[in-house]
Amino acid sequence: KPMHNPEKVIGMNGYTKTAVHDSGSVQVGSELYSARSEKEIPAGKWVVVIGRRGFTLLIEEDKKPRR
């Protein structure tokens, strides 16, 4: 049984470790996940997890301002 449950990360914030579109990597908490997005998101951007497909997270850029 995996230690992390991808369902629990839906709605959480993370940031892109690589550029993400058809594929890429996103850090959410202490875990690194495969991710994909509708629009290209550059590396180093804050994102929000909007869903998942298997072990791949579906993300979009988080537009909320950060301090």
Side-chain angles (χ1 to χ4, degrees):
K1 185 174 176 174
M3 289 294 288
H4 55 279
N5 175 1
E7 285 291 327
K8 287 187 176 161
V9 300
I10 294 172
M12 287 177 66
N13 291 98
Y15 63 95
T16 52
K17 298 289 276 185
T18 66
V20 176
H21 193 210
D22 292 326
S23 66
S25 299
V26 64
Q27 178 98 28
V28 181
S30 61
E31 299 285 344
L32 195 61
Y33 294 93
S34 295
R36 58 186 305 162
S37 58
E38 213 168 276
K39 298 181 182 141
E40 174 119 14
I41 302 173
K45 291 285 187 183
W46 284 99
V47 295
V48 62
V49 180
I50 57 170
R52 74 178 182 93
R53 189 168 293 137
F55 284 100
T56 301
L57 300 183
L58 307 176
I59 62 169
E60 62 184 25
E61 195 169 338
D62 184 0
K63 301 290 191 189
K64 289 197 291 282
R66 300 259 165 201
R67 291 177 190 208

